Amino acid sequence: MSKQIYFDYAATTPMKKEVLEEMMPYFNTEFGNPSSVHGFGRHGKTGLDSARDKIAKTLNAKSDEIFFTAGGTESDNWAIKGVAYANKNKGNHIITTKIEHHAVLYTCQALEKEGFEVTYLDVDEYGMINLDDLKNAIKDNTILITIMYANNEIGTIQPTKEAATIAKEKGIIFHTDAVQAYGNLTLDVNDLGVDLLSISAHKIYGPKGVGALYIRKGTKTKQLILGGAQEKRRRAGTENIPGIVGFGKAAEMAYENLEAHNKKLINLRDKLTKELLEKISYTRLNGHPTKRLPGNVNISFNFIEGESLLLSLDMVGIAGSSGSACTSGSLDPSHVLMAIGLDHETAHGSLRLTLGDFTTEEDIDYVIEKLPPIVDRLRQMSPLYEKVKGGNK
Amino acid sequence: MSKQIYFDYAATTPMKKEVLEEMMPYFNTEFGNPSSVHGFGRHGKTGLDSARDKIAKTLNAKSDEIFFTAGGTESDNWAIKGVAYANKNKGNHIITTKIEHHAVLYTCQALEKEGFEVTYLDVDEYGMINLDDLKNAIKDNTILITIMYANNEIGTIQPTKEAATIAKEKGIIFHTDAVQAYGNLTLDVNDLGVDLLSISAHKIYGPKGVGALYIRKGTKTKQLILGGAQEKRRRAGTENIPGIVGFGKAAEMAYENLEAHNKKLINLRDKLTKELLEKISYTRLNGHPTKRLPGNVNISFNFIEGESLLLSLDMVGIAGSSGSACTSGSLDPSHVLMAIGLDHETAHGSLRLTLGDFTTEEDIDYVIEKLPPIVDRLRQMSPLYEKVKGGNK
Amino acid sequence: MYSEKVMDHFMNPRNVGEIESAEAVGEVGNAKCGDIMKMYLQIDENDVITDVKFKTFGCGSAIATSSMATEMIKGKTVKEALKLSNKAVAEALDGLPPVKMHCSVLAEQAVKAAIFNYAKERDLYYEELEGFDPTEDGHDHGHEEE
Amino acid sequence: MYSEKVMDHFMNPRNVGEIESAEAVGEVGNAKCGDIMKMYLQIDENDVITDVKFKTFGCGSAIATSSMATEMIKGKTVKEALKLSNKAVAEALDGLPPVKMHCSVLAEQAVKAAIFNYAKERDLYYEELEGFDPTEDGHDHGHEEE
Ligand SMILES: Cc1ncc(COP(=O)(O)O)c(C=O)c1O
Ligand SMILES: Cc1ncc(COP(=O)(O)O)c(C=O)c1O
């Protein structure tokens, strides 16, 4: 295969060369353990501190409110379990949504088994929560509200500030999974009023296996990973200095170019969406038409299944993703697509194409050219299509 | 400062250039998410599988018994909490030792707060457990024994096989923290009979922020990190493919050269120990004289404090570590040095010099030359020394 | 993740389509699980399957196993076709990933379902269909236990 | 982690040693916590500290603060020396890491302890020693709360 175009930036991103360059010295020159009393360690410490400052700056947080983790998943697990365990004297009720990432959802489910009570808010057809639902869900024993900033599958951006304001009025701790939003949207923890916020490096052209949790000063949490005194005794384990340094650089770069990045992505995103919906019948855009991540396109193609669509696209060098269960080996299609009201068949026929910094207009044109015949070929094979094709187009 | 010699390999190691080379393509070429249905993801998957095979091979384990984590700390936390929570229907008693790494110790202490019962075995003056103590500590409700393979401070190697055999006879799950032993000693999980074993990449010239947990097939455990379906649904989070690939390479290299590596280190270690003990009075070797890690030297210098010793060494380009509380900002000196029976003053005056693949005979000679006058200078300043110096030498 | 044979049968599936006046038609699977297979068999007076077509909604391996199954029963007698096992289909494709083995089960069942309907209409008895339930979809997506 | 001044006073400490017939000797700290400071003051009839020496068992900043404290009180009157605050010592060293601030407290207390003993022997009263307890070691290693 010659051409290979990446349309799966929401899954992970290639690391930028500037990020790798920044990391290089920390692999085998400035490689010391930052807790050590010697030059090798001090240099590591300097890299660590500077990355922490950079990330704090992008979030308008204080440096000592940023704690490094091994990724978005750990940040989510830590945020939720940490708040739940540290505040269980105050109550045992948690509010979240039906469309969270599994890192949040499964953590909440695990807490339910331990005796916590969890309310999973519904979302509308665009994947948007209803703020009145949130208000109504709050009870005297609610200790935590965790609502994702932007959805990884359908890109919908939640009214996070409004939700956090509701939480604050009631004195409830508010966490947001901003793994998809970070680096793509302006996030100001003070303006938003969130208490905890999860981010991950590999979604913003940084290294895999590195994330962070913002914890507002004064927020009561417990540790998830116990051991050494790293991260002010709140997250143990020898620090992944090269990774953290890379994260810092990636964060800095993302926010240097945010406006240009966004403008470009939104243009390409809207072109791709419009053309595909026009060119191919029996399709629908999933997620909110405008309140969505700049790089997210998610379309359902009726009568066909997502994995076969992905495989066919892969054969022409287009790398996308799907909410079909068949891509994950599980039975049910994406819980997000089900939550916005799709039937199983439509959910299985969903395609997510996510755009990023290396996506070009030609790439978009290439998809617009290649996708319609592929959809058509698969529909011709589908027993579901024959039932309708007599009728319309 | 010109010369800089690293004597802190037990804290962390520089990454080998071969390891970095192996990782490079996965940063921005083969960077895909291995769960994805496209070429970028498939290549990541290949790197992941091959690293898993390599590590399994070094432990004589099956590939599907190796689970990647973010480091030794997470592996320890997961092993202990995972077994404790999954087996609490059978009992709530755990046995460990007083000289474990904090990743084990603090996890056990946290479980105590949750209602588990923990026995902390004493060690003798060499840091060795007593197998009869272990047998006597076992109760009907014992569900887990966790004993470190080799100690990170004093290097003592435990009779792990014998301890695991005792556990097996009683049907108790056995975990060992082999973070320091891995890559330095031959470890065969089947010969040893351990059920879980923690390892970490950055201790063997691999990347920081990557570890693994060996879990014998059939061992009942619970997840620590919940979310995506990675690692056969047992450890969530987008896989750190470059890091894992580097770990695989580092593991392979460590075991290719094990014998030569060991022979060299033991020679240098014993020379350094012998010369320092001979040249400087009021000293003692901490840890077992022969059953110790090939690269570990740990000596207490009476009347002086470890951090000032480290600082002085750093000024002449020698990077070591100490069990003194003053290096960590905590009050009490190392729990390990206390457990082997040192008084506070002696524990505070301990120096750990750990040797590795890049240590040369000249480096050893340099320390032998530089250390005695430094010790002497600090002793001349010490109010404790004046009390004895009238008497002996 | 897929063998070359699977990819070949996915990209160039054999026997796609419908047979208007097929003697035997069977459909298995459901949209919930993401795969539906429909099989059309033309069967002559000697019980020989002279033609076979399929339509499949499903993943790559669902399409590939459908294609392979049709190839494997074409020209065979009904009794021989009933002996087609999912393992044989998977092996003919040089194997399937564990999570995709259910697709081969579905292909086997699609053939059986078609013949089941054929037999029912004609009041024929095939020992091989003893215990076969066309409403069971045999879905076991190979979940890992923790 | 340490300022250049701290490193200078650690590597080249001023006034190390003992004074055989010192008017005032004080010792604070303990081996458990890893730092002991002993201070010797020579005080003339006008209450002026004409010489001062120290011995310290402890970390780099314990040695540096001892050294700096001796420098700061040398030539001062006892009353002036009693005004020496730990903050002043730390500032004179261009600051100390938060976990090491207790070392400067110890240095302040070592001076006070010596003068306390001097005053006790001679039945002198210094208002600045009101409430001073030479057995308190003021150890707060600056632990982070979770
Ligand atoms: C919304 C969201 N939350 C959490 C995660 C988990 O992050 P990571 O892969 O860094 O563990 C992801 C991505 O996988 C995500 O998209
Ligand atoms: C014995 C032992 N266990 C666990 C760890 C923790 O490993 P990591 O730093 O990879 O989290 C270390 C090293 O810090 C160690 O020496």
Side-chain angles (χ1 to χ4, degrees):
Chain A
M1 185 184 335
S2 48
K3 201 169 181 135
Q4 282 260 54
I5 314 175
Y6 192 66
F7 274 102
D8 206 4
Y9 286 88
T12 193
T13 57
M15 219 162 71
K16 288 204 170 144
K17 68 174 194 315
E18 294 90 339
V19 171
L20 183 57
E21 269 161 29
E22 195 102 351
M23 291 166 68
M24 289 304 275
Y26 295 91
F27 285 125
N28 39 32
T29 313
E30 320 291 8
F31 66 90
N33 194 319
S35 325
S36 305
V37 182
H38 50 63
F40 299 92
R42 275 195 302 277
H43 300 146
K45 180 89 170 56
T46 308
L48 181 61
D49 290 344
S50 138
R52 203 187 304 279
D53 293 345
K54 284 180 186 166
I55 287 171
K57 207 173 144 209
T58 62
L59 291 169
N60 191 25
K62 300 190 195 77
S63 291
D64 60 359
E65 295 176 319
I66 303 296
F67 299 87
F68 290 109
T69 67
T73 299
E74 187 192 320
S75 298
D76 284 342
N77 276 248
W78 180 18
I80 295 168
K81 287 201 170 166
V83 169
Y85 294 149
N87 296 277
K88 65 181 171 192
N89 59 323
K90 291 196 202 133
N92 71 340
H93 181 235
I94 297 168
I95 300 173
T96 185
T97 80
K98 288 198 174 147
I99 61 161
E100 298 296 314
H101 190 270
H102 283 134
V104 169
L105 228 38
Y106 290 157
T107 302
C108 288
Q109 288 173 10
L111 287 174
E112 277 187 286
K113 284 196 198 138
E114 295 175 25
F116 286 86
E117 194 192 325
V118 182
T119 301
Y120 300 90
L121 298 176
D122 280 317
V123 292
D124 68 15
E125 59 172 320
Y126 299 119
M128 200 68 87
I129 60 158
N130 179 313
L131 291 169
D132 287 329
D133 286 357
L134 172 60
K135 277 183 205 148
N136 293 333
I138 292 174
K139 306 196 290 183
D140 286 345
N141 62 343
T142 307
I143 51 173
L144 171 67
I145 298 173
T146 171
I147 294 176
M148 73 196 313
Y149 200 99
N151 186 270
N152 45 308
E153 294 188 36
I154 57 174
T156 303
I157 298 167
Q158 301 299 335
T160 306
K161 182 175 176 172
E162 290 76 9
T165 306
I166 293 170
K168 195 182 282 170
E169 276 164 11
K170 301 277 185 177
I172 299 166
I173 296 175
F174 190 90
H175 166 250
T176 187
D177 173 350
V179 169
Q180 290 290 337
Y182 187 62
N184 287 310
L185 303 172
T186 304
L187 300 177
D188 176 327
V189 290
N190 294 316
D191 178 52
L192 290 171
V194 300
D195 300 305
L196 301 104
L197 180 141
S198 304
I199 58 180
S200 180
H202 73 96
K203 308 283 189 189
I204 62 161
Y205 313 95
K208 292 178 173 59
V210 190
L213 182 62
Y214 158 80
I215 309 179
R216 182 179 296 280
K217 231 175 185 148
T219 307
K220 236 180 115 184
T221 69
K222 266 204 153 187
Q223 305 107 311
L224 182 69
I225 308 284
L226 299 164
Q230 294 89 356
E231 298 297 292
K232 295 206 256 80
R233 295 177 197 279
R234 293 176 89 160
R235 198 279 189 180
T238 303
E239 300 90 341
N240 176 359
I241 301 284
I244 289 168
V245 165
F247 191 11
K249 180 69 181 174
E252 193 179 56
M253 289 181 72
Y255 282 94
E256 262 165 20
N257 296 309
L258 193 69
E259 226 172 300
H261 162 95
N262 273 359
K263 209 169 147 187
K264 179 190 126 180
L265 287 193
I266 290 173
N267 271 339
L268 295 179
R269 173 194 81 185
D270 289 347
K271 174 175 175 181
L272 182 58
T273 308
K274 185 166 155 285
E275 296 273 336
L276 291 181
L277 292 180
E278 270 177 23
K279 283 217 158 83
I280 308 176
S281 54
Y282 302 112
T283 49
R284 61 162 275 164
L285 176 69
N286 297 314
H288 197 280
T290 55
K291 289 177 190 154
R292 70 186 300 135
L293 287 169
N296 178 291
V297 174
N298 189 314
I299 293 177
S300 285
F301 300 90
N302 279 346
F303 322 125
I304 62 174
E305 188 277 333
E307 195 230 54
S308 53
L309 185 54
L310 291 184
L311 276 181
S312 305
L313 285 169
D314 187 45
M315 296 306 285
V316 298
I318 298 169
S321 106
S322 161
S324 174
C326 269
T327 60
S328 62
S330 82
L331 270 172
D332 289 311
S334 146
H335 63 286
V336 177
L337 299 177
M338 300 309 288
I340 61 170
L342 299 198
D343 58 32
H344 279 91
E345 186 213 307
T346 311
H348 274 295
S350 80
L351 174 69
R352 180 184 75 176
L353 297 174
T354 44
L355 288 51
D357 278 5
F358 302 111
T359 310
T360 63
E361 178 116 26
E362 293 84 73
D363 295 343
I364 300 293
D365 292 338
Y366 184 74
V367 176
I368 294 168
E369 178 203 329
K370 291 292 179 186
L371 189 55
I374 286 174
V375 170
D376 193 51
R377 187 182 90 91
L378 292 170
R379 283 184 174 169
Q380 293 306 330
M381 278 194 245
S382 170
L384 300 168
Y385 191 51
E386 64 187 48
K387 289 168 189 161
V388 295
K389 74 183 163 193
N392 344 27
K393 162 167 171 177
Chain B
M1 184 184 335
S2 50
K3 200 166 182 139
Q4 281 259 51
I5 315 175
Y6 192 67
F7 274 102
D8 206 5
Y9 285 88
T12 193
T13 57
M15 219 163 70
K16 289 204 169 144
K17 68 174 196 313
E18 295 90 338
V19 171
L20 183 56
E21 269 163 27
E22 194 102 351
M23 291 166 68
M24 289 302 273
Y26 294 92
F27 285 124
N28 39 31
T29 315
E30 320 289 8
F31 67 90
N33 193 320
S35 324
S36 306
V37 182
H38 51 62
F40 299 92
R42 274 194 304 276
H43 300 146
K45 181 89 170 59
T46 308
L48 181 61
D49 290 345
S50 138
R52 203 187 304 280
D53 292 346
K54 283 180 187 164
I55 287 170
K57 209 174 142 207
T58 63
L59 292 169
N60 192 26
K62 299 191 197 79
S63 291
D64 59 359
E65 296 175 318
I66 303 297
F67 298 87
F68 289 109
T69 68
T73 299
E74 186 192 323
S75 298
D76 283 342
N77 276 249
W78 179 19
I80 294 167
K81 287 202 171 166
V83 168
Y85 294 148
N87 296 276
K88 65 180 169 193
N89 60 323
K90 291 196 201 131
N92 70 339
H93 180 236
I94 296 169
I95 300 172
T96 185
T97 79
K98 288 198 173 146
I99 61 162
E100 298 296 314
H101 190 270
H102 283 134
V104 169
L105 228 39
Y106 289 158
T107 303
C108 287
Q109 287 172 10
L111 287 173
E112 277 187 286
K113 282 195 199 140
E114 295 176 25
F116 286 86
E117 193 192 325
V118 182
T119 301
Y120 299 90
L121 297 176
D122 279 318
V123 293
D124 66 16
E125 60 172 320
Y126 300 118
M128 199 68 86
I129 59 158
N130 179 314
L131 291 169
D132 287 329
D133 286 357
L134 173 59
K135 275 185 206 149
N136 293 334
I138 293 175
K139 307 196 288 182
D140 285 347
N141 62 342
T142 308
I143 51 172
L144 171 67
I145 298 172
T146 171
I147 295 176
M148 74 196 312
Y149 200 99
N151 186 270
N152 45 308
E153 294 189 35
I154 56 173
T156 303
I157 299 167
Q158 301 298 335
T160 306
K161 181 174 176 173
E162 290 75 8
T165 305
I166 292 169
K168 194 181 282 168
E169 275 164 12
K170 301 277 183 177
I172 299 165
I173 296 175
F174 190 91
H175 167 250
T176 187
D177 173 348
V179 168
Q180 289 289 338
Y182 187 63
N184 287 310
L185 303 172
T186 303
L187 300 176
D188 176 328
V189 290
N190 293 315
D191 179 52
L192 291 171
V194 300
D195 299 306
L196 303 102
L197 181 142
S198 303
I199 58 180
S200 179
H202 74 96
K203 307 284 188 188
I204 62 161
Y205 313 96
K208 291 180 173 58
V210 190
L213 182 62
Y214 158 80
I215 309 179
R216 182 178 296 280
K217 228 173 189 152
T219 307
K220 238 179 114 185
T221 69
K222 268 204 156 189
Q223 303 107 310
L224 181 70
I225 309 284
L226 299 164
Q230 294 89 354
E231 298 297 292
K232 297 205 254 83
R233 296 178 195 280
R234 293 177 88 160
R235 199 278 187 180
T238 303
E239 300 89 341
N240 176 358
I241 301 284
I244 289 169
V245 165
F247 191 10
K249 180 68 181 174
E252 193 179 59
M253 288 181 73
Y255 281 95
E256 262 165 21
N257 296 310
L258 193 68
E259 225 171 301
H261 163 95
N262 273 359
K263 210 171 146 185
K264 179 190 127 180
L265 287 193
I266 290 174
N267 270 338
L268 296 179
R269 173 194 80 187
D270 290 346
K271 174 175 174 181
L272 182 58
T273 308
K274 187 167 155 282
E275 296 273 337
L276 292 181
L277 292 181
E278 271 176 23
K279 283 215 157 81
I280 309 175
S281 54
Y282 302 112
T283 49
R284 59 162 277 164
L285 175 69
N286 297 314
H288 197 280
T290 55
K291 287 175 191 157
R292 70 187 299 136
L293 287 169
N296 178 290
V297 174
N298 189 314
I299 293 178
S300 285
F301 300 91
N302 279 346
F303 322 125
I304 62 175
E305 190 276 332
E307 195 229 56
S308 52
L309 187 53
L310 291 184
L311 274 182
S312 306
L313 285 170
D314 187 45
M315 296 306 285
V316 297
I318 297 170
S321 106
S322 162
S324 174
C326 270
T327 60
S328 63
S330 81
L331 269 173
D332 289 310
S334 148
H335 63 287
V336 176
L337 297 177
M338 300 310 285
I340 61 171
L342 299 198
D343 58 33
H344 279 90
E345 185 214 307
T346 312
H348 273 295
S350 80
L351 173 69
R352 181 184 74 174
L353 297 174
T354 44
L355 289 51
D357 278 6
F358 303 111
T359 310
T360 64
E361 178 116 24
E362 292 83 74
D363 295 343
I364 299 293
D365 291 337
Y366 185 74
V367 176
I368 293 169
E369 177 202 330
K370 291 290 178 189
L371 190 53
I374 286 174
V375 171
D376 193 52
R377 187 182 90 90
L378 291 170
R379 282 184 175 168
Q380 295 305 333
M381 276 195 247
S382 170
L384 300 170
Y385 191 52
E386 64 188 48
K387 291 170 187 159
V388 295
K389 74 182 166 194
N392 341 30
K393 160 168 174 178
Chain C
M1 82 199 241
Y2 288 131
S3 70
E4 273 177 42
K5 274 244 178 85
V6 172
M7 287 309 293
D8 176 36
H9 276 263
F10 167 64
M11 291 304 288
N12 311 294
R14 324 321 189 229
N15 310 311
V16 177
E18 297 154 47
I19 299 174
E20 286 289 319
S21 54
E23 277 76 24
V25 180
E27 183 176 311
V28 294
N30 62 61
K32 182 166 188 295
C33 297
D35 32 32
I36 300 175
M37 282 185 199
K38 196 163 176 184
M39 237 169 241
Y40 303 82
L41 275 55
Q42 195 160 15
I43 302 173
D44 74 6
E45 61 283 6
N46 301 321
D47 247 23
V48 172
I49 300 165
T50 54
D51 198 9
V52 47
K53 297 266 185 227
F54 80 90
K55 286 232 168 163
T56 289
F57 162 81
C59 61
S61 68
I63 290 170
T65 52
S66 310
S67 165
M68 181 53 88
T70 57
E71 283 278 274
M72 290 173 85
I73 62 168
K74 203 173 185 175
K76 299 275 160 68
T77 65
V78 169
K79 263 185 110 55
E80 281 167 342
L82 285 170
K83 294 208 180 90
L84 182 80
S85 75
N86 78 303
K87 268 189 65 183
V89 175
E91 274 167 22
L93 287 165
D94 293 342
L96 287 173
V99 289
K100 296 294 184 182
M101 280 305 287
H102 72 278
C103 294
S104 63
V105 174
L106 221 53
E108 176 194 320
Q109 289 184 313
V111 173
K112 291 218 166 85
I115 299 176
F116 181 89
N117 291 337
Y118 168 78
K120 213 166 104 185
E121 269 172 34
R122 283 166 185 73
D123 254 345
L124 299 172
Y125 172 77
Y126 293 104
E127 172 180 33
E128 290 81 1
L129 284 174
E130 201 70 66
F132 174 75
D133 178 356
T135 61
E136 255 180 25
D137 67 1
H139 253 103
D140 170 10
H141 279 245
H143 278 292
E144 281 290 332
E145 286 283 312
E146 210 254 334
Chain D
M1 81 199 241
Y2 288 131
S3 70
E4 271 176 45
K5 274 244 178 85
V6 173
M7 286 310 294
D8 175 35
H9 276 263
F10 166 64
M11 290 305 289
N12 312 295
R14 327 312 192 232
N15 309 312
V16 177
E18 297 154 49
I19 300 175
E20 286 290 318
S21 54
E23 277 74 24
V25 179
E27 182 176 313
V28 292
N30 62 60
K32 183 165 187 295
C33 297
D35 33 32
I36 299 173
M37 282 184 200
K38 197 165 177 183
M39 236 168 243
Y40 303 81
L41 275 54
Q42 197 159 15
I43 303 172
D44 73 8
E45 58 283 7
N46 300 322
D47 245 22
V48 172
I49 300 167
T50 53
D51 197 12
V52 47
K53 297 266 184 224
F54 80 91
K55 286 234 167 162
T56 290
F57 161 82
C59 61
S61 68
I63 290 169
T65 51
S66 309
S67 164
M68 181 53 87
T70 56
E71 284 280 275
M72 291 172 83
I73 62 169
K74 205 173 183 174
K76 299 274 162 66
T77 65
V78 169
K79 262 185 112 53
E80 282 166 339
L82 285 170
K83 293 208 182 92
L84 181 81
S85 75
N86 77 302
K87 268 188 68 183
V89 176
E91 273 167 24
L93 288 165
D94 292 343
L96 286 172
V99 290
K100 298 293 184 182
M101 279 306 287
H102 71 279
C103 293
S104 63
V105 174
L106 221 53
E108 175 194 322
Q109 289 184 312
V111 173
K112 291 217 166 85
I115 300 175
F116 182 89
N117 292 336
Y118 168 78
K120 214 167 100 186
E121 271 172 32
R122 286 165 185 72
D123 254 344
L124 300 171
Y125 172 79
Y126 293 105
E127 167 180 38
E128 290 80 0
L129 283 175
E130 200 71 67
F132 174 75
D133 178 355
T135 60
E136 253 180 28
D137 66 2
H139 252 102
D140 170 11
H141 278 245
H143 276 291
E144 280 290 332
E145 284 283 311
E146 210 252 336

